[in-house]
Each structure stands twice: as structure tokens, then as C-alpha cells.
Amino acid sequence: MLELTRLVLLAASALFCNAAFAEAVNSSADSFESNSAAAIAASGACQQLQRALGASIVQSKSSGPEYSLAANAAWSAFNHEVNFQPTCIVFVKSTAHVQTAMRAIYQNNADYAVQSGGHSGMTGWNTIQDGVLISFSNMNATSYDPHTDTISMQPGINWGNASTIVEPFGVAPVGGRISNVGTGLLLGGGLSYLSPSQGYAADNYVSLDVVLMDGTLVTATANNQHADLFKALKGGGNRFGIVTQYIVKAVHVGREQDKIYWGGIFVYPNSSAEALLPAIAHFAHDTNDTNAVLATDFIASWSTTGVEPVIQLEMFYNGTAASFNESFAEFLAIPYTSSTAGPLSYLDLVNEVNFPYGEGNLFSGSVLAGVPSNSPESSDKLINNYMETYRLFNNFSITYANSSGIQSTLLSFTPVLQSQIRISYEKGGNAISPPMGQGGFNEVLFAVTYSAGVNQAPENIEQGRQFWIENTPRTAGLPLFANEADANQQVLASYGEYNFLRQVYAKYDPSRFNVRHTPGPLGL
Ligand SMILES: Cc1cc2nc3c(=O)[nH]c(=O)nc-3n(C[C@H](O)[C@H](O)[C@H](O)COP(=O)(O)OP(=O)(O)OC[C@H]3O[C@@H](n4cnc5c(N)ncnc54)[C@H](O)[C@@H]3O)c2cc1C
């Protein structure tokens, strides 16, 4: 499959490669030399960049000490050097460097990719074969401005570090639920522990510095001439341009010692699964309390004796233990084996769970309507969708139980509450634009994690994952979630503002350079 992706990329690049430039490159290429059309275009861009920015900022495999570190920095091992060797990596230090990089990439018709936190679950999205990789590892400045009550972040920061830097001010950005995930989360909309009260993470943009495909820099805000781009980047992904600075609203979550939340991780036995699924469906539909937040992980881990299931729910309430107990009553009535419940700060929430680096990962997504708890007769069919989703997840796990390549599988439901949807519209709307007035829903993630050392998903297991994608129930009219989907799913087409997105893309990238030259969501 990777080979196929590469062939398609090579073919696309070959079509658009600037022949005259390639000839010039061929005559002088040394450390970037290669034969394919894409590689030749990338060589041209890399040489131009090395001349402009110097050898410590633009590194090739043979020339740079940090090359291999960066080529293996992605969270998913499938995006490591064993599968993708960028022709060069540009370790940008400023917006001006990104502009220079994009000018060279554009002029050479080269392929490129961007890496911020490196947590993409899509193979080949945050790295590139025979292309230029722009690494934001040296651009991670983060600060809080008390006058404007905003947080400024460069793309290379992750949510744990961003939240820690601004913690002394008692504020936080609306960001990821896992500390080492990066700012790319915003471009996919972003679901946060703060989302029930603040909307999607991207709803909290104040201004964005964006480098367009030809190197032009624009600043987009809700009210300036780039307001369309500003809205498109709330969920539309990476192909509109490269964001070099995010200024976002600060949320006043208190200091570390304030412990404004109550809750923790609740571990349930597998026998509780079928009671938990309706509770998750009811929570998404019915919850109006913006202080309650839920994340769910149904995990199957592979061991020598077979597959061991674990169910782990993260339940938090911005308030007292009594309010927590009331909000999560349906979950607390279901037998669980342990809990870490107690007082927590927002920073504690962000640091509560983590997923290790260095294993191959593939994501797939679906979306299910929430189910009202007070209308059981109409609910049965809807609850069955949750049961069927879980059954297909279990089937996959049991079918491949003896596979030595898999380490674990994960099924996770993330509620998007009605409050979150309403707040998104109140804050100006985003590209995702879920329908109002139908109650909340659950974004569904099915992830397969391979053991360290497995570099590609075996084809038979991939077929099983595709089977899940094709057969798992999905509620029509609800948006898929770009951050938790398969690279081949038509996520953008499921958005309420899909036509708007296409128009904005056509305006900002009329020659469709980015669709042709950088990996990203389908449908533009
Ligand atoms: C363990 C784990 C936990 C997660 N938890 C959450 C969660 O709680 N909520 C949520 O919403 N999502 C979550 N995600 C999904 C995550 O938000 C996305 O994978 C996101 O794209 C990661 O951003 P990144 O900067 O870490 O990744 P990268 O891999 O660096 O980037 C991902 C994509 O964004 C593009 N991109 C990154 N930065 C820029 C930029 N500055 N300009 C233009 N394009 C850019 C890249 O081209 C790439 O295609 C999680 C993922 C993992 C693996």
C-alpha cells in the first residue's frame, strides 16, 4: 500500500515537474542526487534552499546531524525513515524561513510535507519520500499576553508544554487531551477536554499567520480580508497553507494547585461493555452541562496468551465530587474495577494519559448520533449501532488475535456535545459545521497499533481494517473527524461547510499546487 502511495506521488510529480529546472539541477546535484522526477524536483528545491538558508537549517541524510532524528520523530513508526526519506529536512526557525522554503518548493514543483507535533495517524502525512520536509522542531515559542488574554503559539509546541508554559498565569489554550500531541490538532478542528464549554479547539483562534503555497504570507482573522481562510482553517486541514503562528483565546482554568476538576480514570471489566455503550450514547445526546467531559478507550492488548481487553473511561467534572457523581451517575452505576478519582488541575488532565512513540499506527473513523435516554422505543435501533460498532471491533481483535504483528487495538468514542456545537456557531462557525438541534453525537476512532519493528501493515490485516471502515455503522448527516480518520476517508465531504471549503481552496490555491504536492485530506 505504501508502495502504491509512493508510485501515485511519483507519477503525479512527474506530470508536473519543471523539466528545465530539473536539467539545471542534474548538472549540479551532489548530495541530493536521485533519478525520479519527484526526486529531481526535490533536489532542485533542496539545493536552492541550502544556498539560501545554509547547511545547518537545510539538512540531507548525508549532510546533517539532525536529519535522522527528525526523519524518525513522528509518533507513528510507519512515518519513519525506514519508509520515507525526505530529500532534505528544513529546520525552520522563523516565518521568513517557511516563506523561503515554500518559494523554492513552488518554483521547483517539488513535493513537501510539514511536521509539527508529529502525531498524525495517517501514513505519509507528516513526512515525504523524494520531497522536502519542513520541520517545526525549532519553532515552539509560546507566550501569554494578559492585555489581550490570548496565547501565542508557534507550530512546534505540543499541548503538554504549551499548557505548562502558560500555567503560571492560570490559563490554558483549548488543546489536546494528550500532552505530546501537537498543534496540527487545530487544523483538524480539535477535540479538547475544554470543548464542552469552549467549542472545537479551532473555534478559539484569534489570528493565524499563514504562508501560502507560493511563499506569500497573510494574516487571517475573523474580520479581515482573509476571514474566509481563517474559517477554512478551523477543520479544513493543511492544504490551504502553512500556519506559522497561532494566536488563540486563553481559557482561565486556574493554577496547577487549584485542582478545579474532580474525576480520573475508571477501569471497567469487559463484562461492563454492553452497559457502557448506551451510557456513552446517552451522555453524548443528553448532556447539557458544559462542565462534564468524557473520553472512552476500549483497548484490546495482544499477549502470548491471547487478547486482553481493558476498558478505560476518563471522566472529569469542572466542579465538586457531588456534581461529578450526578453528571456521571449512569456510568458510576455500572460495575468498575478501579478508579483514580480525585481532585485534578487542568494540567493534570492533559498529563493523565499518554500513548508511546515508535509503533506503527493506523486510524479509522466513524460517527454515531447520540441517543436520548428517555425514549427507549426509538432508541433501540440507534443503540444497536453502538453495539454493532463494538462487535466489529471485537471481531477484528479476535480474528487477528494470533497475529504477532499487532500490539493493540483501540475503539474510542468522543462525545461532541450540543453545547460544543452551539458555542462553535456563537464563536463564528467553523468548516465542520455539525447540525444544530439534534443533540450531541460521538466521533468514533478505531486504531490499530503494530509492535515496534513492524514497518508496514500486513495486507490481510489491512483488509480487516478496511472491512471495519466499510461496515461499521455511521449516522448520515454528521461530520467525520479529520484528526481520527483513515487517510482515504472522505472527511471534508462530510462537513456542513464542504462547498465553502472548496471555494476557499480554489481562491487561495488556484493551480491546486498543494493538492498535487502535499499529502492531506481528500476532497478539495
Ligand atoms: C495519541 C494521540 C492522541 C490524540 N488526541 C487528540 C485529541 O485529544 N484531540 C484531537 O483533536 N486530536 C487528537 N489526536 C489527533 C491529532 O490531533 C492529529 O493527529 C493532529 O494532526 C496532530 O497534530 P501534530 O502537530 O501532532 O501532528 P503532525 O503529524 O505534525 O501534523 C499532522 C498534520 O497536520 C499538518 N500540519 C501540522 N502543522 C501544520 C502547520 N503549521 N501548517 C499546516 N499544516 C500543518 C501536517 O501536514 C500533517 O498533515 C490524537 C492523536 C494521537 C496519535
Side-chain angles (χ1 to χ4, degrees):
M1 178 145 173
L2 275 175
E3 280 312 309
L4 184 65
T5 312
R6 267 189 220 163
L7 282 176
V8 171
L9 265 178
L10 288 180
S13 305
L15 273 178
F16 298 105
C17 178
N18 177 332
F21 200 93
E23 202 178 310
V25 166
N26 268 341
S27 60
S28 62
D30 43 45
S31 59
F32 301 118
E33 192 166 358
S34 183
N35 292 324
S36 78
I40 290 166
S43 296
C46 288
Q47 289 181 58
Q48 189 173 330
L49 280 167
Q50 206 169 65
R51 284 193 296 273
L53 300 177
S56 68
I57 290 178
V58 183
Q59 299 186 12
S60 69
K61 187 166 169 57
S62 59
S63 78
E66 285 121 18
Y67 176 99
S68 279
L69 211 59
N72 292 301
W75 172 73
S76 171
F78 291 169
N79 287 337
H80 287 184
E81 207 180 348
V82 64
N83 289 327
F84 296 90
Q85 296 94 37
T87 307
C88 64
I89 303 180
V90 188
F91 294 91
V92 290
K93 291 187 172 167
S94 66
T95 294
H97 286 172
V98 179
Q99 288 184 267
T100 305
M102 281 315 299
R103 268 187 225 113
I105 288 163
Y106 187 67
Q107 286 163 9
N108 287 278
N109 265 319
D111 296 338
Y112 76 97
V114 174
Q115 190 169 128
S116 291
H119 262 70
S120 180
M122 319 294 194
T123 300
W125 278 26
N126 57 21
T127 185
I128 192 95
Q129 176 67 34
D130 294 329
V132 179
L133 176 61
I134 297 175
S135 165
F136 276 112
S137 54
N138 291 328
M139 275 182 77
N140 45 32
T142 298
S143 60
Y144 171 63
D145 180 346
H147 302 294
T148 54
D149 202 18
T150 58
I151 295 167
S152 165
M153 293 178 293
Q154 288 185 326
I157 197 77
N158 67 33
W159 296 109
N161 290 338
S163 304
T164 303
I165 290 168
V166 298
E167 184 277 338
F169 304 96
V171 298
V174 182
R177 296 167 293 178
I178 307 285
S179 62
N180 52 24
V181 172
T183 54
L185 171 143
L186 293 163
L187 299 173
L191 291 174
S192 168
Y193 286 135
L194 295 169
S195 285
S197 62
Q198 306 297 330
Y200 285 89
D203 290 324
N204 297 284
Y205 290 161
V206 172
S207 95
L208 304 171
D209 287 348
V210 188
V211 174
L212 304 179
M213 73 292 165
D214 60 356
T216 307
L217 172 65
V218 301
T219 296
T221 71
N223 301 311
N224 72 5
Q225 76 266 38
H226 302 298
D228 48 3
L229 179 63
F230 182 77
K231 183 169 168 182
L233 288 169
K234 295 181 185 181
N238 66 328
R239 281 193 169 127
F240 295 80
I242 301 179
V243 181
T244 58
Q245 176 167 263
Y246 299 90
I247 297 181
V248 298
K249 289 178 184 129
V251 183
H252 289 256
V253 294
R255 297 287 315 274
E256 167 90 74
Q257 64 269 23
D258 292 339
K259 310 288 181 201
I260 61 170
Y261 284 87
W262 180 271
I265 299 173
F266 287 69
V267 178
Y268 287 82
N270 209 32
S271 53
S272 292
E274 294 199 357
L276 284 171
L277 292 166
I280 292 166
H282 297 153
F283 183 89
H285 186 277
D286 291 348
T287 305
N288 276 319
D289 187 341
T290 60
N291 293 310
V293 63
L294 168 72
T296 65
D297 300 316
F298 294 73
I299 301 165
S301 298
W302 267 240
S303 77
T304 44
T305 51
V307 171
E308 288 165 12
V310 178
I311 304 173
Q312 181 178 300
L313 266 54
E314 293 87 41
M315 299 191 275
F316 306 113
Y317 192 89
N318 184 350
T320 61
S323 305
F324 174 91
N325 290 338
E326 201 180 316
S327 264
F328 291 101
E330 191 173 352
F331 295 96
L332 297 176
I334 299 166
Y336 54 91
T337 47
S338 68
S339 111
T340 62
L344 295 161
S345 67
Y346 177 69
L347 200 55
D348 292 333
L349 264 57
V350 174
N351 288 321
E352 192 83 357
V353 179
N354 241 323
F355 291 82
Y357 274 77
E359 293 150 356
N361 279 279
L362 287 169
F363 284 5
S364 335
S366 184
V367 56
L368 290 176
V371 182
S373 53
N374 61 0
S375 60
E377 59 298 342
S378 68
S379 299
D380 278 358
K381 190 165 168 288
L382 297 174
I383 293 290
N384 277 344
N385 287 336
Y386 285 78
M387 299 295 182
E388 177 64 3
T389 301
Y390 178 65
R391 193 185 68 77
L392 287 170
F393 162 75
N394 270 337
N395 269 1
F396 179 96
S397 304
I398 292 162
T399 305
Y400 298 107
N402 294 324
S403 160
S404 56
I406 300 183
Q407 177 166 304
S408 62
T409 51
L410 166 74
L411 180 69
S412 142
F413 300 88
T414 300
V416 176
L417 303 183
Q418 189 65 24
S419 63
Q420 173 178 339
I421 302 168
R422 176 177 45 77
I423 290 161
S424 291
Y425 285 106
E426 285 169 6
K427 288 185 172 175
N430 57 40
I432 304 164
S433 242
M436 274 291 290
Q438 302 177 8
F441 56 90
N442 275 297
E443 295 290 5
V444 185
L445 166 68
F446 169 48
V448 181
T449 300
Y450 286 86
S451 307
V454 177
N455 300 323
Q456 286 193 21
E459 200 157 322
N460 64 324
I461 300 179
E462 257 305 277
Q463 280 168 4
R465 198 175 65 86
Q466 293 305 328
F467 184 87
W468 186 91
I469 294 174
E470 282 154 27
N471 292 285
T472 203
R474 177 178 156 194
T475 307
L478 291 175
L480 290 169
F481 183 35
N483 287 349
E484 295 182 348
D486 181 78
N488 290 315
Q489 289 188 277
Q490 293 284 350
V491 175
L492 302 185
S494 73
Y495 284 8
E497 291 281 19
Y498 178 47
N499 288 335
F500 164 81
L501 263 189
R502 285 165 61 98
Q503 284 160 15
V504 178
Y505 180 67
K507 175 178 163 189
Y508 283 89
D509 187 5
S511 71
R512 304 177 58 72
F513 182 85
N514 280 334
V515 162
R516 292 186 284 117
H517 289 283
T518 195
L522 303 178
L524 288 175

